[in-house]
Amino acid sequence: MPEAGVAAKGLGRAVIFLGPPGAGKGTQAKQIAESYGAPHISTGDMFRDHVSRGTPLGLRAKAIMERGELVPDDLVLSMVEERISREDCRHGFILDGFPRTLPQAQRLEEILGRCKVQPLVVHFVVDANQLMRRLTGRRTCAIGGEIYNIYDHPPKVPGRCDRDGGNLVQRPDDREEVIAERLAAYQRQTSPLVDYYRGRGVLRDVDGMAAPATVTKDVLEVLAQKQ
Ligand code: AP5
């Protein structure tokens, strides 16, 4: 990460969106990153991009993602380290879906510590029984990545993005049996990070069950607070 000095403008921090699959991290990260003009770094999107381009990394990640398991730490870490070392991350960035394991969190802490950047973790709290409905109903624009839900946030024209008319597609890992494994992986490997960051005093809970616009307002309030 560039010596940010650190960041007189923009987000000025490494903001981490933490929460289970379907908690609304991507929905919120897209909006908030846009409003701050900050990079939205989604490791899931980065892997999906590698898969669609058929890169060596994509070929390794594809089967793992289709099983709902986590990609090995070393592959994730080298990809993220390269991304956050770029110039556009100088004034802060949003991490969506990273870190997801203790070793990932510890490595991120070392990197941020070197640059004297404080992390701020926004933890999306959502009832577990909502997640299956959210994920099976999710559809994503193939062009701009806009996120919809066929039950709760449908597009005006079925199958078409309101913004750019792109095709709405379902992620291959949004099938019930894969979702169950993703939720289990979250409990096993990622949920310990809630205590890890809470213990460091850098975690703020946000009610992810509220309407999306309310969640956005709540997250913006958290980001506006001095730590
Ligand atoms: P990734 O793409 O990161 O998926 P995820 O964490 O499972 O999270 P999702 O994208 O499914 O959910 P979200 O919280 O973003 O919810 P969204 O906003 O879309 O990872 C995919 C895979 O990549 C992993 O399984 C793993 O294999 C690999 N991977 C990625 N990062 C990795 C890492 N660091 N380490 C190892 N492996 C990694 O919303 C979901 C739905 O809910 C939408 O339909 C939306 O419209 C709706 N919704 C959103 N907010 C609300 C609301 N407030 N009220 C009602 N509905 C809402």
Side-chain angles (χ1 to χ4, degrees):
M1 182 169 174
E3 281 301 323
V6 143
K9 55 179 185 171
L11 273 171
R13 283 183 283 209
V15 175
I16 296 165
F17 280 5
L18 180 63
K25 305 180 296 296
T27 301
Q28 296 300 329
K30 226 171 156 14
Q31 303 253 357
I32 308 263
E34 238 173 73
S35 65
Y36 273 94
H40 166 201
I41 302 174
S42 157
T43 42
D45 286 348
M46 291 167 87
F47 282 126
R48 281 184 285 279
D49 177 55
H50 276 279
V51 170
S52 72
R53 289 186 288 121
T55 67
L57 176 58
L59 293 176
R60 284 192 67 182
K62 185 171 187 283
I64 299 169
M65 293 170 77
E66 283 174 356
R67 289 196 300 271
E69 296 167 7
L70 294 187
V71 176
D73 288 335
D74 57 333
L75 297 183
V76 183
L77 282 165
S78 49
M79 184 178 78
V80 172
E81 286 189 45
E82 187 284 320
R83 179 63 189 87
I84 64 180
S85 69
R86 292 192 209 160
E87 184 60 26
D88 66 340
C89 289
R90 194 178 168 77
H91 299 294
F93 46 86
I94 297 179
L95 290 168
D96 162 11
F98 176 91
R100 246 167 151 112
T101 63
L102 209 49
Q104 290 181 19
Q106 286 163 340
R107 180 70 190 127
L108 179 66
E109 193 165 89
E110 281 168 27
I111 298 168
L112 297 180
R114 250 200 341 257
C115 318
K116 301 191 175 54
V117 174
Q118 271 294 322
L120 174 66
V121 181
V122 180
H123 173 222
F124 293 82
V125 182
V126 181
D127 290 352
N129 58 16
Q130 271 293 309
L131 298 174
M132 189 60 85
R133 175 184 168 90
R134 284 193 185 185
L135 291 169
T136 51
R138 172 169 52 193
R139 300 293 183 274
T140 309
C141 174
I143 298 175
E146 208 66 21
I147 300 169
Y148 294 85
N149 191 285
I150 54 170
Y151 310 119
D152 302 320
H153 174 44
K156 292 189 183 103
V157 177
R160 294 272 162 208
C161 178
D162 296 346
R163 243 189 181 181
D164 54 27
N167 259 338
L168 299 188
V169 295
Q170 184 170 29
R171 273 171 42 177
D173 60 350
D174 276 348
R175 287 176 292 116
E176 271 192 45
E177 62 279 18
V178 185
I179 294 170
E181 178 48 40
R182 288 165 58 203
L183 294 173
Y186 178 82
Q187 279 314 320
R188 221 170 33 235
Q189 290 165 278
T190 310
S191 67
L193 298 187
V194 174
D195 285 343
Y196 176 86
Y197 283 120
R198 205 187 293 287
R200 283 163 168 66
V202 296
L203 181 138
R204 304 287 178 272
D205 292 312
V206 164
D207 176 13
M209 293 298 289
T214 307
V215 181
T216 306
K217 185 175 83 44
D218 292 348
V219 175
L220 287 171
E221 275 176 22
V222 166
L223 298 184
Q225 287 165 11
K226 294 238 175 345
Q227 285 200 69

